[in-house]
Amino acid sequence: MDSPPDPADEFRNWLELPRDVTASILLRLGAVEILTSAQRVCSPWRKLCKDPSMWRAVDMRNPDNKWEDYELELEWMCRDAVDRSCGQLIDINLENFGTDELLRHIADSSSQLKRLGLVRCFSISDKGLSGVAAKLPLLEELAISYCSLSKEALEAVGRCCPLLKSLNFNIRWHMRNGDYDGEAVAIAENMSELRRLQLFGNKVTNEGLQAILDGCPHLESLDLRRCLNLTLAGDLGRRCAQQIKHLRLPHDSTDDYEFNDYCSVVDVSGGSVVSDDDYDYEEYGHVDIEYFEAYDHPDNQ
């Protein structure tokens, strides 16, 4: 008869895991979870969570919108994470918070930054992003979605970041008077090394698209979904098909678009609004205030 299993074999002591395995597990949690929870478990985990190698990538995206009432706490945490990287930060994503001052802190502390993602960061301005662009000479990917940024910021990034290969510039399409092709021209004239471009919901017209195709000869992937001012018939449509390996057209499906939960699209025909598919009305829940009270502010560490 087999002897009963030793209870010690049934429960793993997580503190006995190899350091690299523990680090791999913690990295899957994300920056906010590490700062508010994981680092409080035990002294070895707290020590590991202070290692600069843990902060080469900082993901503070907030897809559930559950932290929207805690912008100040999120900014403190972001500064803490950037400081912990000790200059090793190469990838950072912000969502629903962020200011020009925070962006300046990131740029001043992160000369090796290669990827910057901004989602609904309405307090980051053209002046703010333009002012730090020169401090990001190694930037290769810039993802901007639903922010209050325009061609001014794109021009500065293009001039100062010659290694830029990938750009997302996604906005809410809406009808208004103005220069519909300003952003497209800024891209065409300042980002000649682009390989990938996403312009979801942009106001770009055929003239602006023509400028991009002329000014970005290395472009391989182009996403034009919901760019409803475009008419891709005739020579321009054929050129897109021939020049671009991975092409998404204005009326292609948006099922795999990561921001479908709150994207807004207005279709226009003959100058009048035909449909308004707005997914931004979902009512999100809120976390208890105790969740963030558990965070150790850097001033108290």
Side-chain angles (χ1 to χ4, degrees), residues 103-232:
L103 189 61
R104 188 179 308 113
H105 181 75
I106 293 170
D108 288 341
S109 308
S110 314
S111 61
Q112 299 183 48
L113 196 67
K114 294 184 178 181
R115 187 186 186 282
L116 174 62
L118 305 173
V119 180
R120 298 183 73 180
C121 296
F122 299 116
S123 294
I124 293 179
S125 67
D126 278 327
K127 183 177 180 180
L129 182 53
S130 299
V132 304
K135 299 178 181 181
L136 305 173
L138 301 184
L139 194 67
E140 297 180 3
E141 300 181 33
L142 176 62
I144 298 172
S145 296
Y146 311 110
C147 297
S148 302
L149 297 169
S150 68
K151 64 180 182 179
E152 178 185 340
L154 295 179
E155 289 169 348
V157 170
R159 289 193 303 268
C160 299
C161 305
L163 300 181
L164 194 70
K165 300 294 191 300
S166 176
L167 173 68
N168 290 9
F169 193 73
N170 305 324
I171 61 176
R172 290 169 180 261
W173 203 104
H174 57 93
M175 230 182 135
R176 72 165 184 250
N177 295 327
D179 181 6
Y180 283 15
D181 289 320
E183 293 144 1
V185 171
I187 292 168
E189 293 182 348
N190 298 280
M191 300 181 180
S192 61
E193 297 300 316
L194 279 184
R195 268 62 174 177
R196 179 186 175 281
L197 176 62
Q198 183 178 73
L199 293 175
F200 191 101
N202 200 274
K203 304 182 299 296
V204 61
T205 71
N206 283 22
E207 288 73 18
L209 177 57
Q210 183 77 48
I212 288 173
L213 295 175
D214 291 341
C216 305
H218 306 294
L219 203 59
E220 299 177 351
S221 175
L222 179 59
D223 189 344
L224 300 171
R225 284 177 292 175
R226 296 302 184 264
C227 293
L228 301 175
N229 276 337
L230 292 174
T231 305
L232 296 181

Side-chain angles (χ1 to χ4, degrees), residues 48 57 76 117 119 180 256:
L48 180 58
W76 284 339
V119 180
Y180 283 15
D256 62 344

